[in-house]
Amino acid sequence: MTTERSTGPRPLRGADKAKPRRKQVLLRLHPHLYDALARWAGDELRSTNAQIEFLLRTALTEAGRHPTAPRVVPREIADRHGDTEPTMLRRRTG
């Protein structure tokens, strides 16, 4: 009696349903830029990929474009309304 083996990866149990899969993106970088990112990642004990993702997430949040982060109203706008500190706003969903 022979047993058939699967040639593909085993499906994840439950985890695949809980989290959306990460997108894979081919990113072309100048070698000097990559080296600088890799050094910075090493200084912060991150992989280069995690460092790039961290920087992108930070930039999106600061620009008020991260889909899950609160948006900060710039100081100039807050000052016009008499607020002393920038205000956190939640994006509307749905």
Side-chain angles (χ1 to χ4, degrees):
M1 186 163 159
T2 61
T3 306
E4 289 188 34
R5 291 184 147 216
S6 172
T7 56
R10 285 181 35 197
L12 299 175
R13 295 183 189 173
D16 201 25
K17 295 176 187 172
K19 282 192 203 176
R21 295 184 64 98
R22 290 176 162 251
K23 293 284 187 178
Q24 294 181 357
V25 178
L26 174 64
L27 180 62
R28 297 176 196 276
L29 297 173
H30 190 279
H32 296 301
L33 179 60
Y34 179 84
D35 292 342
L37 285 167
R39 280 192 307 275
W40 190 4
D43 292 345
E44 297 192 9
L45 303 175
R46 290 189 181 105
S47 68
T48 304
N49 188 72
Q51 184 71 11
I52 291 169
E53 189 171 345
F54 169 78
L55 293 170
L56 289 172
R57 189 178 294 115
T58 301
L60 285 170
T61 301
E62 288 176 0
R65 295 183 174 268
H66 195 283
T68 58
R71 190 174 65 130
V72 176
V73 176
R75 181 169 297 282
E76 314 76 71
I77 295 172
D79 287 345
R80 277 189 251 148
H81 295 286
D83 297 332
T84 57
E85 292 294 322
T87 309
M88 301 291 277
L89 297 179
R90 284 263 173 217
R91 288 188 179 270
R92 285 191 247 172
T93 58

